[in-house]
Amino acid sequence: MEAVKSTTPVGGLNNKLQAKSPQDRILGVVVYLFMIVVTVLTIYPFLNVLAISFNDSVDTIRGGITIWPRQFTLKNYDLIFTYEGLITGFKISFLRTIIGTVAGLVSGSMLAYTLARSDFQARRFISIFLAVTMYVSGGLIPGFILMKELHLIDTFAVYILPGLVSAFNVFIIRSFIDGLPYALQESAKLDGANDFTIYWRVILPLCKPALATVALFLAVGQWNSWFDTYLFNGSNESLTTLQYELMKILQSTTTSATNSQDAANMAERMAQVSPESVKMAITIIVTVPILIVYPFLQKYFVKGMTLGAVKS
């Protein structure tokens, strides 16, 4: 028997399938408008901060600045960058961000790979132990005593060693490794690869999304940290960080009492500008480096967070 031929042209069928109903078009318009509103609400605060940071301090007090400076000036940034400790703080912050991120990735991924091994008998105990550390802390004073007993006070290592292993980051990487086919490790073993070779040449290249996600967490944490400087290296000017120095500048805009000649000179210069303008300029200074790094990690970041949250 001959096959029954369809009387409906293929092109016409595709056009009908592609045709959108009025309800679909209205829904599409609503979704686009909603996303535009969300985008504007997200970008506007940053543009407002940027505009105030470049606006004249006296004029800023009047208010009413939106996304464009009313009286453009670089005086706010010039005042901040003339601070003597800023260059040293930037160097230390840059070093601790790079070293801390790399060290945290290596140590965290090694532990995650170990916990992902089904033949590791203590994996359940260590996983529970790590999970407990996410909710229970020894406290500030025991932490300070521990750093003192380890002779980490007034050293650069105090920025790196305490943050080598983060339970949250370990769980993200371990969840990602659990999603990889175990046959890859078995085939590598058959080819004569040892555990370290499997970790370095098989697991790490496949974990780029998870590693990029954790790297962003570590970098932001190291870059924004200032309280550990205040606790452990506050008296050592050679180990000061950018955030700590900016915090001191911010304090000098709101307090008139000073204990040193440098602080007095800084307070005198601060009297020429408004605290609001200095706050906004500081916000831009500490935000821009992370904004520059984020686009390079964005494609891995979304995938890493999605896949890393599938298993626990």
Side-chain angles (χ1 to χ4, degrees), residues 10 24 39 51 87-88 95 110 113 119 126 177 179-180 182 187 193 197 204 208 264 280:
V10 177
D24 292 336
T39 303
I87 301 300
T88 301
L95 286 176
M110 282 185 173
Y113 168 65
D119 55 347
I126 296 180
I177 296 176
L180 300 177
Y182 190 71
S187 61
T197 303
L204 287 188
K208 288 182 180 179
M280 299 308 173

Side-chain angles (χ1 to χ4, degrees), residues 254-290:
T254 56
T255 59
S256 57
T258 56
N259 298 322
S260 64
Q261 186 63 33
D262 292 339
N265 295 336
M266 192 64 189
E268 182 180 353
R269 294 196 298 269
M270 284 296 180
Q272 304 173 5
V273 298
S274 67
E276 188 69 17
S277 299
V278 175
K279 290 179 183 178
M280 299 308 173
I282 289 175
T283 302
I284 296 299
I285 291 174
V286 300
T287 304
V288 167
I290 298 300

Side-chain angles (χ1 to χ4, degrees), residues 187-206:
S187 61
K189 286 183 178 180
L190 293 176
D191 292 336
N194 55 26
D195 291 334
F196 183 79
T197 303
I198 295 174
Y199 159 78
W200 187 257
R201 304 189 63 177
V202 177
I203 299 300
L204 287 188
L206 296 175

Side-chain angles (χ1 to χ4, degrees), residues 75 77-86 249 266 269:
K75 184 182 296 184
Y77 290 94
D78 180 65
L79 176 65
I80 295 175
F81 284 111
T82 55
Y83 188 62
E84 296 179 358
L86 207 63
I249 294 176
M266 192 64 189
R269 294 196 298 269

Side-chain angles (χ1 to χ4, degrees), residues 157-177:
V158 77
Y159 298 141
I160 308 300
L161 295 182
L164 276 181
V165 176
S166 169
F168 179 74
N169 295 337
V170 170
F171 288 147
I172 289 180
I173 302 176
R174 192 201 69 177
S175 297
F176 194 92
I177 296 176

Side-chain angles (χ1 to χ4, degrees), residues 82-140:
T82 55
Y83 188 62
E84 296 179 358
L86 207 63
I87 301 300
T88 301
F90 181 83
K91 293 179 181 178
I92 298 299
S93 292
F94 180 79
L95 286 176
R96 70 172 293 181
T97 299
I98 299 299
I99 298 175
T101 300
V102 174
L105 278 179
V106 172
S107 59
S109 60
M110 282 185 173
L111 181 56
Y113 168 65
T114 303
L115 296 178
R117 294 283 299 268
S118 58
D119 55 347
F120 180 56
Q121 297 180 357
R123 58 178 294 185
R124 180 176 178 82
F125 171 77
I126 296 180
S127 297
I128 295 176
F129 179 80
L130 287 175
V132 170
T133 63
M134 297 176 62
Y135 304 100
V136 180
S137 173
L140 183 62

